[in-house]
Amino acid sequence: MKYNDTSELEISLLLEAVFQKYGYDFRQYSEAHIRRRVINRMAMAGLEDISQMQSKVLKDELFASEFLQDLSITVTEMFRDSGFYRSLRENVLPILKTYPFIKIWHAGCASGEEAYSMAIIMQEEGLYDRTTIYATDFNQQALNKAKEGIFSNSMMKEYTSNYQLSGGKESFSSYYTSNYDNVIMNQSLKKNIVWANHNLVTDSVFAEVHLILCRNVLIYFNRNLQNKVQKLFYNSLINGGILCLGSKEGLRFTDFYEAYTELDKKQRIFKKKY
Ligand SMILES: C[S@@+](CC[C@H](N)C(=O)[O-])C[C@H]1O[C@@H](n2cnc3c(N)ncnc32)[C@H](O)[C@@H]1O
């Protein structure tokens, strides 16, 4: 089996088939990311070549849904990149505080850890009662987990450390109840989070918001698609609104570079000018 011989054309035909049959559009995801996931799934399923893969994706819905899960990388953490959350507290919250109500969009929220982190910060700053957090993803399994707000106890040591490094001053354990191997996030954190299935590639603007976090998502998209999604964000943000990207993501190669100022260059936090 020589998976590495799989050509760009074969992969694009596979993605076209996925789009035509299931409506999920991965045609402009980064080639390297898609190639890795295709080769991995072919090896796991013992498939000889990509034409077998295409036929299985089209005929076997269970296999197709596993493959779709493969394409969505849901790795996340609470208070991921503590320096980012510290900057959010110091540089973004003073701006958000000036609004009578605050709408925040987590685009690509995976299993929700990022949205719970935000709810904790807004609660600590006394802003949560006037905040709505829209947390969206196109992966329904990840969203279902997010809604439950049940996470593994084994992660809490790391999350507590992230929280403290991000400037958190409370006892992190006051935000959840332990239940054997799991923890359940407090109901008070969930109350203003709206979880919704939204596809950044095929769905449109659904609200006007003051802050967008889309971290570690665009890294999987090619430049053209990044530009398209940046247009969606630009159209969703109020003037003076804030956009937060992941540590390896930026605006430089998009049409929107000039439309923002850098609020914190290192932490990839941008403010919409006009
Ligand atoms: C690596 S996770 C990032 C989670 C979180 N933002 C963080 O930084 O920890 C990437 C998420 O983007 C989601 N995603 C990928 N393509 C998407 C699309 N077209 N529309 C919506 N979400 C998408 C995936 O399902 C996954 O949950």
Side-chain angles (χ1 to χ4, degrees):
M1 280 183 273
K2 285 184 281 175
Y3 296 137
N4 290 332
D5 290 348
T6 305
S7 75
E8 219 170 292
L9 176 63
E10 287 173 310
I11 291 184
S12 62
L13 289 173
L14 174 68
L15 298 181
E16 190 60 41
V18 167
F19 179 56
Q20 297 281 329
K21 171 108 198 230
Y22 301 103
Y24 285 97
D25 190 356
F26 291 99
R27 294 173 300 174
Q28 292 193 70
Y29 276 52
S30 104
E31 218 247 306
H33 162 62
I34 297 286
R35 177 178 289 276
R36 266 195 305 275
R37 308 315 293 174
V38 168
I39 288 175
N40 189 44
R41 181 51 58 184
M42 270 163 56
M44 275 167 57
L47 300 173
E48 292 287 330
D49 55 35
I50 197 147
S51 61
Q52 283 187 5
M53 172 92 178
Q54 177 157 334
S55 155
K56 202 156 166 65
V57 161
L58 288 175
K59 291 183 192 138
D60 180 344
E61 294 206 352
L62 190 62
F63 179 80
S65 85
E66 281 167 2
F67 178 51
L68 290 175
Q69 284 295 322
D70 291 344
L71 296 180
S72 137
I73 309 286
T74 56
V75 176
T76 186
E77 280 172 35
M78 287 206 193
F79 294 94
R80 180 180 196 174
D81 304 324
S82 51
F84 163 75
Y85 282 96
R86 186 174 278 276
S87 181
L88 191 82
R89 283 187 199 261
E90 287 168 9
N91 300 313
V92 178
L93 289 200
I95 299 173
L96 293 184
K97 273 184 186 160
T98 63
Y99 298 111
F101 60 88
I102 303 160
K103 291 187 188 174
I104 301 174
W105 179 16
H106 289 268
C109 68
S111 40
E113 285 82 340
E114 200 183 54
Y116 285 107
S117 307
M118 181 63 77
I120 288 172
I121 291 183
M122 297 310 270
Q123 212 175 62
E124 288 183 1
E125 297 291 327
L127 298 173
Y128 197 41
D129 282 343
R130 51 181 163 118
T131 299
T132 305
I133 296 178
Y134 300 99
T136 67
D137 204 285
F138 76 158
N139 182 329
Q140 193 56 45
Q141 277 186 27
L143 274 179
N144 291 345
K145 182 165 192 281
K147 260 184 235 176
E148 280 178 3
I150 300 177
F151 302 109
S152 168
N153 221 334
S154 63
M155 299 307 298
M156 290 305 130
K157 198 166 163 226
E158 188 183 338
Y159 291 173
T160 303
S161 160
N162 287 355
Y163 166 75
Q164 285 164 348
L165 289 169
S166 77
K169 289 179 195 69
E170 304 298 321
S171 159
F172 188 59
S173 59
S174 65
Y175 292 112
Y176 57 79
T177 321
S178 289
N179 188 1
Y180 301 102
D181 292 341
N182 294 321
V183 304
I184 305 170
M185 301 312 290
N186 290 355
Q187 196 56 39
S188 69
L189 296 173
K190 294 181 185 174
K191 69 174 183 167
N192 292 348
I193 306 180
V194 179
W195 306 100
N197 195 310
H198 179 276
N199 190 326
L200 289 165
V201 182
T202 44
D203 294 333
S204 48
V205 172
F206 64 91
E208 191 174 58
V209 298
H210 302 81
L211 168 65
I212 294 177
L213 290 92
C214 184
R215 308 182 65 235
N216 310 299
V217 179
L218 299 175
I219 201 172
Y220 300 107
F221 296 2
N222 72 16
R223 269 195 199 172
N224 198 31
L225 188 54
Q226 288 186 26
N227 202 47
K228 180 179 166 184
V229 175
Q230 285 303 346
K231 186 171 180 200
L232 179 69
F233 292 158
Y234 180 80
N235 289 332
S236 303
L237 273 178
I238 61 156
N239 284 343
I242 312 287
L243 173 67
C244 303
L245 303 177
S247 61
K248 298 188 193 74
E249 296 159 340
L251 288 169
R252 192 174 292 273
F253 300 108
T254 72
D255 297 341
F256 300 90
Y257 186 56
E258 299 291 331
Y260 293 84
T261 51
E262 284 169 337
L263 208 58
D264 183 335
K265 191 174 180 182
K266 180 159 184 259
Q267 302 300 341
R268 314 289 163 118
I269 303 179
F270 306 87
K271 186 164 186 256
K272 182 174 161 182
K273 282 195 249 176
Y274 48 78

